[in-house]
Amino acid sequence: MSGAGGPGAERAPTVAIRSPLPGVFYRRPSPDFDPFVEVGSPVEPDTTGALFELMKQFFEVPAGTTGTIAAVAVADAEMVDAGQVLFTVRGS
Amino acid sequence: MGVSVLQPGLATTVQDVGRPGYYNVGIPPSGSLDQYSSLAANLLVGNAEDAAVLECTYMGPELRFGSPATVAVTGADLPPLLGGEPRPAWESFAVGAGEVLSFDYLRSGARAYVAVSGGFDVPAVLGSRSTYALGSLGGLEGRALVAGDELPIGDAGGAAPGRSVPEALRSTHPRHREIRVMMGLYDHRLTDGGRRTFAEATWRLTTLADRTGMRYRGATLEFRERVAPFGAGSDPSNIVDAPYPIGSIQVPGGVEPIVLHRDAVSGGGYVMVATVISADMDDVAQSAPNNTTRFVEVDLRPGRRARRRRAARLEALREALA
């Protein structure tokens, strides 16, 4: 693994992290907490990127890859469709 | 030999044509919410029409087959994978002993149906294998599947793989739907403006959408002033308790209409402003959260015509897969 933001990081390809389900997308574990990730946050496959809610159940969305968050595509508490892009992660 | 549940999906239940006849004692009909797709799945694998299938909501399970079987997936566009390789939907295919059936993420619709030759052979309760989870009745131990479950497969019927539903008879799942309703029984409680709002609003399905009911958001309905009758709550949307038909649309507080589906509670104290015609209940079942719906008022005559048309479509499906 090369360091996040190291030389060449800008040119590394990005991977889209998609929602596996339709639901409400939450960027933080509860309203008083910081977001799970911000643009530039380093992530690993099992890093939680977001929570979402469906049928009164909450699910964690893992980043699924190693790299840094390049963009957050959805606003906090917004409804998303299955397959919609939530984040892009720049590979390392 | 049966099917082992490696991953259960989100809310996967055993369902069939349902358990009619007990709603008067509070037991709803249950059964596949999209009966058309459920029937198609059974016909594709050569099962009897009342064989039990799996209803997979928003997310598919991961299943390992203990013996060879013919399998079909219909309903929502939830692409099936066999050993990680794509398999067609609306077409039956062969699964070998030890093979694993899984699914890609949901592309459209909300509920996919999985039929296996022989059917899922859980015990029938009150004449049906359908799961009514709120009442812990039917299905596998009266609940949604969990990892580690073993589903028994029956030995009746079954056809060789390779049957296919003709393109024209496959359901499609647009992001916006028009759902036909008949107004009543309590639409007189709405003001003229409230009626107009109900008909003209674009209603978005929320994440509170399950087998009991689908809750929408999009506008606020205005009710007429009244003095609450004895037995009714004080909110303008309250009524003296009444039976709830399947498909009835209640609107607690004038916000968030709820369409009751096949696991509904049988009665309560909220106004029902309209009822979805029976021919459109399969479509209601295939709306996913964030999809939109407009409720279109129809009268009895077009409602019955729609029912005849649906019956003809079911007949066409039977002929195509005979």
Side-chain angles (χ1 to χ4, degrees):
Chain A
M1 264 192 325
S2 67
E10 291 305 308
R11 286 189 300 279
T14 58
V15 180
I17 310 303
R18 294 171 188 276
S19 177
L21 290 166
V24 179
F25 172 88
Y26 290 105
R27 289 198 56 201
R28 33 188 109 229
S30 80
D32 302 333
F33 281 64
D34 290 334
F36 290 108
V37 293
E38 300 275 15
V39 171
S41 298
V43 293
E44 295 192 10
D46 58 358
T47 305
T48 299
L51 273 185
F52 67 88
E53 182 267 321
L54 177 63
M55 297 197 295
K56 301 178 191 171
Q57 300 176 60
F58 285 86
F59 305 88
E60 294 183 351
V61 186
T65 184
T66 300
T68 58
I69 299 287
V72 181
V74 181
D76 196 25
E78 200 166 286
M79 280 190 78
V80 297
D81 299 326
Q84 190 173 333
V85 174
L86 303 176
F87 307 99
T88 51
V89 175
R90 196 172 297 284
S92 54
Chain B
M1 293 293 269
V3 167
S4 309
V5 179
L6 305 181
Q7 293 293 333
L10 187 62
T12 304
T13 54
V14 176
Q15 299 294 342
D16 61 11
V17 290
R19 184 180 289 116
Y22 304 96
Y23 204 32
N24 63 318
V25 290
I27 299 172
S30 300
S32 301
L33 295 194
D34 176 356
Q35 284 284 321
Y36 180 87
S37 296
S38 177
L39 173 68
N42 268 329
L43 295 176
L44 279 167
V45 300
N47 282 350
E49 294 192 8
D50 64 352
V53 301
L54 292 182
E55 178 177 272
C56 313
T57 310
Y58 308 130
M59 181 185 244
E62 207 176 300
L63 307 170
R64 188 171 50 222
F65 284 72
S67 50
T70 303
V71 171
V73 179
T74 62
D77 187 2
L78 188 73
L81 304 169
L82 188 64
E85 294 297 316
R87 285 291 179 275
W90 299 95
E91 244 179 84
S92 60
F93 55 87
V95 175
E99 287 198 288
V100 173
L101 178 69
S102 63
F103 296 85
D104 207 340
Y105 68 82
L106 182 71
R107 304 301 156 87
S108 65
R111 292 173 170 82
Y113 293 87
V114 180
V116 173
S117 49
F120 292 98
D121 194 19
V122 298
V125 176
L126 297 174
S128 165
R129 294 184 171 83
S130 289
T131 311
Y132 173 46
L134 282 177
S136 300
L137 206 68
L140 189 73
E141 298 173 9
R143 56 167 172 77
L145 302 186
V146 297
D149 279 344
E150 296 289 332
L151 288 162
I153 301 299
D155 48 21
R163 287 186 184 181
S164 174
V165 174
E167 204 65 45
L169 290 174
R170 298 182 182 193
S171 309
T172 55
H173 306 295
R175 297 182 46 80
H176 176 80
R177 291 172 193 271
E178 299 208 334
I179 297 292
R180 290 166 290 186
V181 303
M182 282 188 60
M183 297 304 287
L185 292 174
Y186 292 83
D187 56 319
H188 60 275
R189 294 282 305 110
L190 293 172
T191 63
D192 291 347
R195 284 181 79 100
R196 244 189 337 268
T197 305
F198 177 72
E200 289 171 3
T202 296
W203 299 100
R204 188 174 296 275
L205 188 60
T206 68
T207 59
L208 298 172
D210 59 22
R211 293 185 44 85
T212 303
M214 317 277 167
R215 187 185 289 243
Y216 299 79
R217 193 175 293 158
T220 302
L221 304 186
E222 189 187 36
F223 291 100
R224 290 182 193 281
E225 301 267 350
R226 59 110 200 236
V227 176
F230 177 76
S234 55
D235 189 273
S237 65
N238 287 140
I239 56 171
V240 179
D241 276 19
Y244 287 160
I246 303 299
S248 63
I249 305 177
Q250 53 181 261
V251 196
V255 296
E256 303 196 353
I258 300 169
V259 178
L260 294 182
H261 221 304
R262 296 178 70 102
D263 277 4
V265 291
S266 55
Y270 284 116
V271 285
M272 292 157 276
V273 297
T275 301
V276 175
I277 65 169
S278 59
D280 284 358
M281 289 300 284
D282 292 345
D283 281 352
V284 169
Q286 291 295 0
S287 281
N290 210 26
N291 288 180
T292 53
T293 291
R294 215 169 63 80
F295 295 115
V296 179
E297 181 181 348
V298 295
D299 224 326
L300 191 57
R301 199 181 290 267
R304 292 177 65 178
R305 205 159 46 229
R307 187 165 69 185
R308 282 196 299 274
R309 220 174 281 135
R310 179 175 185 275
R313 191 170 154 85
L314 289 171
E315 212 37 54
L317 189 63
R318 290 185 183 102
E319 275 169 30
L321 298 176

